[in-house]
Amino acid sequence: MLDRAPDPTATLPDAPGVGYKAQHYAAIGADPGAVRWLEIHAENYMGDGGRPIAQLRHLRDRFPISCHGVGLSIGGEAPLDRDHLARLRRLLDWLAPAAFSEHLAWSTHDGHFLNDLLPLPYTAATLARVAEHVDEVQQTLGRQMLLENPSTYLAFAESEMSEIDFLAGIAQRTGCGLLLDVNNVFVSATNQGWDPVAYIDAFPLDRVGEIHLGGHDAQADDHGAPLLIDSHGAPVVDPVWALYAHTIRRGGPRPTLIEWDTDVPDWPVLASEAARAARVLADAAAEKPG
Amino acid sequence: MSAQDAFAAALLDPARPAPAGLTDPAGRPAGARFDVYRNNVAASLTAALETGFPVLRRLLGAEFFAAMAGVFLRAHPPRGRLLMTYGTAMPGFLEAFPPVAHLPYLPDVAQLELARRQAYHAADAAPLDAGALAALPPDRLTAARLRLAPALRLVRSDWPVAAIWHANTTPGAPPPGTGAQDALVTRPGYDPEVAALGPGEGAFVAALMAGAHLGAAHEAGAATPGFDLTQALGRLLAGGAITGIEEESA
């Protein structure tokens, strides 16, 4: 399927990674700490050249890279954008990342890119459409993708199934893997009145190829109920760390990303979040019987 | 209207109610929950514009710029999925935006900021060694075309656009004067540089970019008194903007 030799770094280790930010380039080179791999947003590296691509070419020689798309609009009603898919293919061809992931969401409508991860009703019709799109992505890219569970702020009256049944159905039909964002689980569970631990316990963890952890903001809805907003702009909160530890104990270690995209802190702050993920992974390994 | 038609229309228009069928966990209308998506769209696109137009923001003030960005992003939501190219409609928008009609240089400042961003992401190209140009006999040089770096951009303005840009990005830079100015954006290495061009230099570079022979470009530049060919070529070479010499086969 792929016209090149397998890359020796082509798996993500079951260890911490961070979302790469250009301002951390020198610090990562000097001391990556517990960070063993990096994630990049695909769309930021679709320019023709310049510093972003030069930096990424250096980084890919040193770290396994996870490529995270934010613009495919896999949940969109319209067909996938073939030009964008071709751009993605060109990027993955030279980058040879260890993983490629995208979101269970839509972001483009009527030719306009809305730059947000918009929600979907969980119906059989939506499932069929998303599965078709995931199939097309995997066929075009010649590789398996991971599909990420969303942060959601509202529900659709027309939904017919749970989010987990929806994601599991897509994975089963398409053979895709799943990216489990534990902060998104906590955010959505709070906003939707679910039990986050029960969500993890029902999730097909054997399908999970990568975990995300990030920060969120807290607001309230019109009735005073807590409304959490996925922000990627703050430290991971303690209840999310606890939910992550539960996930690892239950499903085993996984490559774990610290996502911090807005109000990005200095490297030591991000490195300390990665170190905390490393401790959770180590503690879970130490607890294992035998 | 499909479900996503209705959702997208309400996202960009705060006056529209949230679409039907969106609820909270108790089945009540989504209300403020829908506004989270509205805010995310507006805030993320505003942030992209703030990143893309730092000098406009400084000239207009953060508060005014944010409010203007809210108008812009609804009139011109991104057409592509790469935010690195978002905002190409900004110069035209500014020309027709009455609250900034008293600041007629803003569209050119926006054009210069776009040019810098395009230069930053442009394809890499190995610059020509300065000696290669000097080694060519004058008659062959005159008949040659210069291959230019993909990062090269020219912004020709009735306003001192390069000086305005420098005054708002470089500590200690002098305040901009008055009068027309042509600005050149080059990218030696990875960081775009902005230079104010001398007399005739804008016409010279414009001719080269249009594919003119060096001799014809020289004539275009020399139409303005004070044009200095050596300085003009030196600036392009120093900026890594010349990547080759194309001679018609003899």
Side-chain angles (χ1 to χ4, degrees):
Chain A
M1 247 185 308
L2 301 179
D3 56 358
R4 62 168 180 274
D7 190 287
T9 62
T11 54
L12 296 179
D14 292 332
V18 294
Y20 171 65
K21 299 291 167 211
Q23 59 264 48
H24 297 147
Y25 182 75
I28 291 173
D31 180 12
V35 172
R36 299 269 308 282
W37 57 277
L38 301 174
E39 183 156 289
I40 56 119
H41 286 177
E43 283 73 10
N44 290 344
Y45 297 89
M46 289 182 178
D48 293 325
R51 177 174 283 118
I53 287 174
Q55 283 190 344
L56 185 54
R57 284 188 189 279
H58 282 288
L59 291 169
R60 74 178 282 279
D61 292 337
R62 177 142 185 214
F63 296 95
I65 304 286
S66 179
C67 183
H68 192 48
V70 297
L72 266 184
S73 199
I74 281 179
E77 287 169 353
L80 293 179
D81 179 338
R82 297 276 158 80
D83 291 343
H84 193 69
L85 209 43
R87 276 195 292 271
L88 188 58
R89 165 85 203 228
R90 284 196 293 278
L91 172 64
L92 297 198
D93 277 352
W94 71 259
L95 182 60
F100 171 71
S101 53
E102 252 283 0
H103 300 85
L104 176 61
W106 58 286
S107 58
T108 297
H109 186 71
D110 196 20
H112 290 130
F113 177 56
L114 299 162
N115 197 35
D116 192 32
L117 300 168
L118 301 166
L120 293 165
Y122 298 137
T123 65
T126 316
L127 195 155
R129 185 178 76 231
V130 173
E132 260 178 47
H133 287 172
V134 170
D135 269 337
E136 186 181 347
V137 171
Q138 295 188 132
Q139 276 170 27
T140 307
L141 301 181
R143 65 183 300 154
Q144 188 195 41
M145 65 164 284
L146 307 176
L147 188 65
E148 177 176 350
N149 62 299
S151 271
T152 59
Y153 310 115
L154 49 73
F156 288 79
E158 62 180 303
S159 281
E160 301 159 352
M161 66 185 92
S162 73
E163 183 170 290
I164 291 173
D165 287 346
F166 190 91
L167 283 163
I170 303 279
Q172 195 178 4
R173 277 206 207 184
T174 65
C176 77
L178 298 173
L179 192 166
L180 177 59
D181 188 317
V182 175
N183 179 61
N184 287 356
V185 171
F186 186 78
V187 165
S188 296
T190 303
N191 294 343
Q192 306 283 359
W194 307 331
D195 174 353
V197 174
Y199 184 105
I200 296 294
D201 291 349
F203 203 85
L205 295 179
D206 56 325
R207 293 270 191 186
V208 173
E210 183 180 327
I211 287 176
H212 276 184
L213 298 172
H216 59 254
D217 294 339
Q219 297 180 10
D221 76 359
D222 297 321
H223 307 282
L227 181 58
L228 302 185
I229 320 283
D230 186 31
S231 70
H232 299 176
V236 179
V237 297
D238 286 341
V240 170
W241 282 114
L243 193 61
Y244 169 60
H246 175 78
T247 306
I248 295 299
R249 280 197 299 270
R250 189 175 173 86
R254 288 292 191 283
T256 302
L257 183 85
I258 306 295
E259 272 189 310
W260 203 320
D261 296 321
T262 58
D263 298 326
V264 176
D266 289 342
W267 176 248
V269 176
L270 199 54
S272 74
E273 293 279 281
R276 186 163 176 185
R279 286 198 298 278
V280 173
L281 287 164
D283 289 349
E287 282 170 20
K288 260 170 105 173
Chain B
M1 201 185 223
S2 79
Q4 287 183 2
D5 284 338
F7 200 107
L11 273 180
L12 290 172
D13 183 356
R16 282 178 190 249
L22 306 178
T23 72
D24 76 355
R28 295 172 294 201
R33 291 164 176 267
F34 184 77
D35 295 339
V36 176
Y37 295 102
R38 276 184 170 137
N39 292 341
N40 283 351
V41 170
S44 71
L45 294 179
T46 298
L49 293 168
E50 287 169 351
T51 304
F53 297 103
V55 172
L56 280 187
R57 185 171 183 237
R58 194 181 144 101
L59 288 167
L60 292 168
E63 202 177 326
F64 185 95
F65 185 88
M68 187 183 79
V71 178
F72 178 83
L73 67 92
R74 287 175 178 85
H76 303 280
R79 300 292 315 179
R81 299 168 195 226
L82 307 188
L83 287 182
M84 67 177 75
T85 64
Y86 183 41
T88 50
M90 184 61 86
F93 171 84
L94 290 166
E95 274 172 29
F97 190 53
V100 298
H102 62 296
L103 305 171
Y105 50 85
L106 288 183
D108 290 350
V109 173
Q111 202 67 58
L112 183 54
E113 296 207 277
L114 285 169
R116 280 191 79 254
R117 192 141 45 103
Q118 290 158 0
Y120 184 75
H121 291 287
D124 303 336
L128 182 75
D129 185 80
L133 222 52
L136 219 56
D139 57 325
R140 282 173 59 193
L141 198 56
T142 302
R145 288 191 173 89
L146 299 183
R147 202 176 307 133
L148 301 172
L152 181 68
R153 294 289 185 281
L154 173 68
V155 177
R156 309 193 68 182
S157 177
D158 292 333
W159 309 94
V161 64
I164 293 169
W165 188 86
H166 280 295
N168 286 281
T169 53
T170 315
T178 54
Q181 202 170 56
D182 294 336
L184 192 74
V185 178
T186 56
R187 198 189 84 197
Y190 294 128
D191 293 309
E193 291 182 358
V194 173
L197 296 183
E201 219 177 322
F204 171 72
V205 174
L208 290 179
M209 292 176 93
H213 295 119
L214 194 50
H218 184 185
E219 277 176 32
T224 305
F227 174 66
D228 182 338
L229 179 64
T230 307
Q231 177 184 288
L233 283 173
R235 197 192 308 280
L236 289 173
L237 283 167
I242 302 175
T243 61
I245 302 169
E246 289 173 7
E247 292 190 81
E248 259 136 64
S249 47

